Amino acid sequence: MEQNNILFVSVEVPYSISKKDLEIEFPGLILTAIENSFVAEISNSKFLFSSSFGVMTFCNFSHSEIKSILKRLKIEHAEHYEAALLNQDYPMIIDPNQAAPKIDSKTIKYNKFDKSVASIISLVLAQSVGLEKRERSLDKKMQDSKKIYEKIENFKISDRKELMKFASSISKERFDILNHLYLLDKPDIVWDEPILESLYNQLSHQLELKSRFEVIEYKLAHLKESVELGMSLVNQKSSEYLEWIIIWLIVIEVLFTLYDAFVKY
């Protein structure tokens, strides 16, 4: 029996494409919500998935079609997205003999293809690209934390503002991962669909979403410790500074008292 091949391609975009953006560029498009993201059926076999965390997934589009859509949405570097933007692809084979989803490191095999299947694959692949985006961001922050350790003995009270800014960026990073990538929650549509849940679990496992998230959690914990250490030293120096001010104030008061006593005498 005939087998059809479908390619899923997830591409990082610099900002989240809104429902309004898609409706303007594709009038009459019917959008379905999934985990605060949108799935659009362009044709019977082509779906466009726009996530809430800055990743778009193209289902069954050629590279030239992907470039065209990215250009229409005014995405920078659209012409060279394969080299300029984070992206990941995963092929699917529609195999009439494959009654249940089977996924390995190279392909997805299943005998069914519809909007629900496309949505699950698109979401997981988008999560993988979103994770890679966060991984790169955290790697940069890890380098910044190295600078904290290098100058830890020379911290000044004036460094408090820089440390607070760094701490804020770490908190925002974790918030975005948990609340935008939805890595800790399965999408609602899989709960009553064992086949879709199997598809979701298998692809998540192949893309190592859980283990990658655990590495990110470890790095976030390390960064938090770095900031706490830095803040502790700054606070200590601030405390020592205040103690010296108090000591000098006492000394000055004693000197004035002695001066007054000397003058009266």
Side-chain angles (χ1 to χ4, degrees), residues 2-257:
E2 184 181 358
Q3 294 183 341
N4 294 321
N5 294 342
I6 292 175
L7 185 65
F8 287 81
V9 180
S10 283
V11 181
E12 167 204 12
V13 291
Y15 55 89
S16 296
I17 305 299
S18 68
K19 181 179 180 181
K20 185 178 180 181
D21 293 330
L22 291 172
E23 289 174 339
I24 289 174
E25 287 301 324
F26 303 95
L29 200 63
I30 298 176
L31 298 170
T32 303
I34 171 175
E35 303 300 333
N36 289 334
S37 302
F38 298 99
V39 180
E41 187 170 359
I42 307 298
S43 68
N44 290 334
S45 61
K46 293 186 178 182
F47 297 92
L48 181 62
F49 179 89
S50 179
S51 76
S52 59
F53 45 87
V55 179
M56 295 189 72
T57 303
F58 300 85
C59 170
N60 210 23
F61 288 86
S62 67
H63 289 297
S64 60
E65 289 174 324
I66 293 174
K67 291 178 184 179
S68 176
I69 292 174
L70 291 175
K71 286 179 182 178
R72 288 177 64 177
L73 293 171
K74 299 177 177 59
I75 302 300
E76 192 176 359
H77 307 303
E79 183 64 33
H80 309 288
Y81 79 89
E82 292 169 281
L85 301 174
L86 287 177
N87 63 90
Q88 186 174 7
D89 59 52
Y90 221 103
M92 176 181 183
I93 298 175
I94 303 177
D95 185 351
N97 298 316
Q98 192 68 48
K102 183 179 180 182
I103 303 175
D104 57 29
S105 59
K106 296 181 179 179
T107 57
I108 302 166
K109 290 184 179 181
Y110 188 33
N111 65 0
K112 182 180 179 182
F113 177 75
D114 56 18
K115 181 182 275 190
S116 296
V117 171
S119 297
I120 293 299
I121 297 173
S122 296
L123 172 62
V124 178
L125 197 58
Q127 287 175 328
S128 180
V129 173
L131 258 185
E132 185 176 353
K133 185 178 179 180
R134 297 302 176 188
E135 286 164 347
R136 294 194 179 192
S137 176
L138 280 178
D139 284 343
K140 184 179 182 302
K141 285 182 171 59
M142 290 293 285
Q143 291 299 315
D144 293 338
S145 75
K146 182 181 178 182
K147 296 176 184 177
I148 292 178
Y149 284 106
E150 289 175 348
K151 61 179 289 190
I152 205 162
E153 294 181 357
N154 300 313
F155 267 135
K156 302 175 183 176
I157 297 175
S158 57
D159 291 321
R160 183 196 300 272
K161 184 176 181 181
E162 181 182 348
L163 284 170
M164 290 295 291
K165 184 178 179 181
F166 188 54
S168 176
S169 70
I170 294 170
S171 297
K172 183 179 183 302
E173 197 84 50
R174 191 174 193 280
F175 177 85
D176 287 344
I177 292 170
L178 293 177
N179 291 275
H180 292 165
L181 290 179
Y182 306 100
L183 292 173
L184 300 183
D185 301 308
K186 292 181 182 179
D188 293 338
I189 64 173
V190 309
W191 290 111
D192 297 323
E193 296 285 347
I195 291 293
L196 292 180
E197 184 175 11
S198 173
L199 179 64
Y200 178 86
N201 290 339
Q202 286 188 65
L203 189 54
S204 297
H205 177 73
Q206 284 296 332
L207 295 175
E208 301 179 331
L209 297 190
K210 184 178 179 180
S211 59
R212 289 163 63 191
F213 176 71
E214 289 172 350
V215 172
I216 283 178
E217 284 277 74
Y218 173 80
K219 289 182 178 179
L220 286 170
H222 170 78
L223 291 171
K224 182 182 177 183
E225 289 176 3
S226 299
V227 172
E228 288 176 346
L229 177 60
M231 288 299 296
S232 175
L233 290 173
V234 168
N235 289 335
Q236 182 181 344
K237 291 196 174 185
S238 177
S239 178
E240 291 174 353
Y241 178 72
L242 291 174
E243 286 174 1
W244 276 109
I245 290 177
I246 293 171
I247 290 171
W248 279 109
L249 287 173
I250 292 172
V251 171
I252 291 171
E253 184 178 357
V254 170
L255 289 174
F256 272 114
T257 301

